[in-house]
Amino acid sequence: MLAAINGGPLFARWRLVVLKHLLVLAAALFCMMGNGAFAQTLTQEIDALLNDGNTWGVLIQSDDAMVTYYQKNKDSELTPASNTKMVTTAAAFGLLGPDHAFETRVYANGTLSGGTLTGDLNLVVEHDITWNTYCLNSSDQALDYLAQQLRAKGLQTVTGNVNVYGASFYAIGQFDDVRFSAPTYQNQTVADVFRTSLSQAGITVSGSAVGRTGFSAPGTLYHTHLSTELLYDNEETNHAGLDEMPLTLATACIDLNRVSHNAMADALLMHIGYKISGSSTLDAGAAAALDWLENSAGIDTQDITYGDGSGLARGADSRPGNQFSAEFFVQLVRYMTTNYAGWDTSLAISCKDGTVGSRLCSAGLSGRVHAKSGTLYTTVALSGYMDHPLSGERLFFSFLANNSSGINSTTARAAMDSALTTIANGFVPVIPTISHVANTPAGLEIHAVQQFTGLTSLTAEYSINGGPFSGSIPLALPAPYLIQTRSGQPNVADYSEVQGTWADTSANTEAPGATSSGGGRWAVPIDAGGPDIARFTPGGMAAGLYEADVTTYGGTLSDNAHRITVRINDANGLRARPMDLSFETTGDVWAPLGLFAFAPGQSHSIEFDNATQANHGSSLNSRMSMAGVRFVPVTAKALVPGVQPGDRVDVRLVASNGTQSSPSSDTFSARRGTAARILLVDGNDRWRGQSENTSGTSHDFVARVGAAIASEPFDSAEHWAVLRGHVPLAAYDLVIWLLGEESTQDESFSDAEQALLTTYLANGGRLIVSGAEVGWDLEAQGTATDLAFLRDVLRTDYVADDTTSSGSALTPRSGDIFAGIDGLDYGGGAMTINYPDVLAGTGGSRVVLDYAGTSEGAAVAWRQDPAGPGAIVFGFPVSMISSLSARTALMSAAIGYLLPASAPAGSGWVLY
């Protein structure tokens, strides 16, 4: 199967998911019309904005890539214009380092004695992209400084010539096209200017100024000048707060990206080529960048075309046109913001600075969108991230609009900005999220995610034993935030509680137990279950993500600035690590103005005046580290009433903000029993946005498989709830992991999931996996680690990406576990399975099911011994078996094979 059909360009391996996903923004945004009917989903609303005759590639995704909020042709290769500069600067950060300094070497070719050089003075210039009025007050500033340094070393006279070698880019303008220039393009100009600079510094030159070719100059190295010896001093662009910074690569990229400086970008790509391979060409730079993207950043480059550093190349000249996808840019920005803390400083800032300095000023988005724009005759683009003004959630996005007949840049930019503004305004109502439904000692319990304050109700609708959804029960909405802290301590066991104070700053009271108006104290125990999956930030910012419920103040608060100070407690008292967040008050509701996080050892106070939201404390830039304290949504839960032992319950959620109600959530299931031995895990993420999604907003794949489990008690959970440790696999004797068409896109099994399942099977667990692209993802397109997981852990081998069978029927192999089951056909349901995996056995496993009319394996099974570990891997989603009776027979045989009656009972549900 072609990569483009299978979700290409191929998705990079996910790193370990750090937070959540506790937040699902909106797979649908609903507005009430006058007659009470729902108007549009979020997808429909953005579709309408982009219905302008252009070809669009769009992806808007959560910061951990677990939720896609909107997508349109996300893997289509389109012309990105100046979004290409993000690729160039990212590769430069990765290959050269953000502190890289541009070097200019001076060689004395002759005899140097008593301040007189009898011979030539030779410069070798290595693409210093800072020699312009965007980085310096004058393009001559660096050459003047270099001449002064030579005079300070004692040089007084040069009897020969001043020769300039290498590649000089002097006084280059934003729109200059240097892509086709030979390295001597400005070497002569630089030689002339430098001869004048030497004269002004008091050094006499008898010979001429000559531009030369090549990067090797004769003579002895006399002096080396680095760009970092000068400071960023820009009067033209005047980026706030960036003056007096050494001219490192990272500093130079501020103007390159924010101003969108074409010549700087192309010169930088040539510089990459020279430093990595010794070739000062665009092709060499692009080759080095692509290799780094593929092998270091883990971003697939199979289908992209990288023609130049600036984005000017569009196939209409001798350079190949740049072609990238929205998916590529989302991956790139996510990788860079995670791994290179200073890279996003180079991106333009909404309503503040750079090419989006006059855009995205409404809906609280001023200063919250960091992005790179792009414009050509046929292209308008915008890629970057948005910190949501209500939740603080970081969203990564890319918009690429192309029109070969010429694009209306004004309307295309307005559509992009309106889409982001729609999301910024569109949090309530949202499709709520079920984390898990599980057997507990008290009964079947629903755990849900509360997205935000502003919800007035969260209701669980349920059906029992396949009946209609006729019952409902409200889920209590607890305190609206979870406090999460990251500390430098190695283990959550070091702490007993999170403690905080809040105070009315007008009274200047901050001490615990303050009694002035608006003052108080809270202290809550840390979750005894341990830290969440660790999140590490550059510089070693520590290790655990810890959670505790926080009861917010419910009294009447004056319209003053208020502050919450958060500290981490241990048994010996407060840590000397206060971290402050600011809130404004509206009546009796705390409303977050933003998320502010600080490095360990720092103490900051940020206060706002409600009327103006003026900053009276530390710089807002401090919050960008995202390390320290974070307020996020909490979970809600409820027991399903009237459930008897043996009853199967299907559950879905509906949220309301008092005037609007959301569509229903995904449907989950559980069967009541003394202790559930089986866990159904929903890993089907891709379905929500793919073309085969026929229902639009939710899915019932867990319920379809749950209905086929005839009698065994079972629980169900989202795969991210398993990842976060809220649903421990060790509590179950059998795990059924349900995928759809997750592959290189949306990923079948992340590295973290592979590790969990490897441990689970090693400890005697039993596993059923179903999905149409598991083999394609792990073997055909995977890493060595992926292949080892497929072959050594799942004991499955991948043969082909599609069966030659003419239909979707299945044939059990004679004498094996599914023998005698009729009516097996995976062609029914909400998904069209175009490319089911053909599988083979390995490591002692065997094929137990074929695609009808072939000997091509549709399922592989193995069991170490009746009481030991085992697995069945299906090359298609079992949820798509059309007939419920056939689906039930299949699941009964699979469970009977892996989970014999003599097996020990599971340990049951563990509350978190």
Side-chain angles (χ1 to χ4, degrees), residues 539-763:
M541 180 78 67
L545 183 63
Y546 313 127
E547 301 183 353
D549 292 330
V550 176
T551 302
T552 55
Y553 178 71
T556 300
L557 301 173
S558 58
D559 285 336
N560 294 311
H562 287 71
R563 182 169 60 204
I564 291 181
T565 302
V566 180
R567 301 172 188 268
I568 299 177
N569 248 16
D570 66 6
N572 299 317
L574 288 175
R575 298 275 184 187
R577 244 176 219 173
M579 291 162 273
D580 300 346
L581 285 83
S582 293
F583 286 70
E584 67 174 336
T585 58
T586 305
D588 60 356
V589 178
W590 293 93
L593 289 174
L595 299 175
F596 300 88
F598 306 100
Q602 295 179 336
S603 176
H604 292 266
S605 168
I606 298 182
E607 301 159 17
F608 285 83
D609 175 81
N610 278 359
T612 64
Q613 296 189 6
N615 179 16
H616 298 303
S618 302
S619 166
L620 286 175
N621 290 333
S622 299
R623 72 182 173 86
M624 300 311 295
S625 68
M626 297 300 290
V629 177
R630 182 178 174 92
F631 276 70
V632 298
V634 296
T635 55
K637 58 188 178 183
L639 289 171
V640 182
V643 180
Q644 302 300 314
D647 284 346
R648 178 176 59 84
V649 177
D650 295 337
V651 178
R652 64 191 185 195
L653 299 179
V654 175
S656 173
N657 65 352
T659 59
Q660 302 171 344
S661 295
S662 74
S664 59
S665 72
D666 298 345
T667 303
F668 276 63
S669 293
R671 187 184 299 280
R672 182 65 175 142
T674 304
R677 307 170 68 194
I678 300 173
L679 175 67
L680 303 184
V681 178
D682 185 1
N684 194 335
D685 291 329
R686 184 183 180 191
W687 174 87
R688 189 181 291 279
Q690 69 183 132
S691 60
E692 294 92 334
N693 177 349
T694 58
S695 301
T697 58
S698 63
H699 63 204
D700 61 353
F701 307 123
V702 168
R704 287 173 62 87
V705 175
I709 299 177
S711 58
E712 285 278 357
F714 65 89
D715 299 339
S716 61
E718 278 277 11
H719 68 107
W720 54 259
V722 173
L723 264 179
R724 299 183 77 243
H726 295 319
V727 183
L729 296 184
Y732 300 92
D733 296 326
L734 172 64
V735 171
I736 303 174
W737 202 283
L738 303 173
L739 300 166
E741 293 185 308
E742 284 70 24
S743 60
T744 52
Q745 176 175 295
D746 291 312
E747 199 167 37
S748 59
F749 289 100
S750 69
D751 291 344
E753 290 166 341
Q754 291 179 34
L756 284 174
L757 290 173
T758 298
T759 300
Y760 175 70
L761 286 171
N763 290 332

Side-chain angles (χ1 to χ4, degrees), residues 470-488:
S470 56
S472 65
I473 183 172
L475 277 70
L477 296 177
Y481 293 103
L482 205 66
I483 186 85
Q484 295 182 323
T485 64
R486 299 185 188 92
S487 79

Side-chain angles (χ1 to χ4, degrees), residues 45-46 60 82 127 247 251 286 324 359 424 452 503 548 645 683 757 812 857 890:
E45 187 160 336
I46 296 180
I60 306 172
S82 287
H127 316 86
L247 278 172
T251 305
F324 295 88
R359 296 170 60 180
F452 318 100
L757 290 173
L890 183 80

Side-chain angles (χ1 to χ4, degrees), residues 193-265:
V193 173
F194 187 54
R195 190 178 188 279
T196 301
S197 296
L198 290 169
S199 177
Q200 292 172 345
I203 301 173
T204 300
V205 178
S206 301
S208 302
V210 183
R212 304 287 188 180
T213 60
F215 284 79
S216 297
T220 303
L221 181 64
Y222 180 53
H223 181 76
T224 300
H225 164 70
L226 301 177
S227 61
T228 49
E229 294 170 24
L230 297 173
L231 301 177
Y232 184 88
D233 190 6
N234 187 321
E235 294 181 353
E236 182 170 343
T237 53
N238 193 28
H239 302 303
L242 300 180
D243 289 340
E244 306 305 311
M245 295 170 58
L247 278 172
T248 62
L249 168 71
T251 305
C253 287
I254 293 167
D255 272 318
L256 194 161
N257 274 332
R258 289 199 193 179
V259 177
S260 199
H261 200 297
N262 293 323
M264 290 176 71

